Amino acid sequence: MINLEPQQIFQLVSLLAVLALFSFSLRGHIGYARWFKRWEAERKARRDAELAARARQAGEDDERPKTGPWG
């Protein structure tokens, strides 16, 4: 049988509380990173569509969006 003193019980409870807070904080940061990546991709898609629309209005024939290191 294991006998735990009050100080050891308090330390275990504190450790579990810190672990729970860390996991909730990490989940929030991961969620924010996912949201930001999605927002950035949507913003880039809107910007590319806007640039393509301006190019079409200006009379340029190339309808493909320019991508890659040479585009």
Side-chain angles (χ1 to χ4, degrees):
M1 186 172 166
I2 298 175
N3 291 331
L4 294 176
E5 296 178 7
Q7 184 180 5
Q8 292 173 327
I9 293 172
F10 177 74
Q11 289 173 347
L12 285 173
V13 169
S14 298
L15 182 65
L16 290 174
V18 167
L19 182 63
L21 287 173
F22 176 75
S23 66
F24 283 118
S25 176
L26 182 63
R27 187 176 65 173
H29 284 286
I30 290 172
Y32 175 77
R34 286 180 183 160
W35 170 83
F36 185 78
K37 287 178 185 177
R38 186 173 55 248
W39 175 80
E40 186 70 20
E42 290 171 355
R43 186 187 67 83
K44 184 180 182 311
R46 286 191 305 268
R47 178 70 175 149
D48 288 345
E50 179 183 327
L51 290 176
R54 286 184 185 174
R56 280 193 302 271
Q57 286 179 352
E60 295 179 10
D61 292 336
D62 189 14
E63 294 183 12
R64 294 179 297 152
K66 296 181 179 182
T67 60
W70 298 280

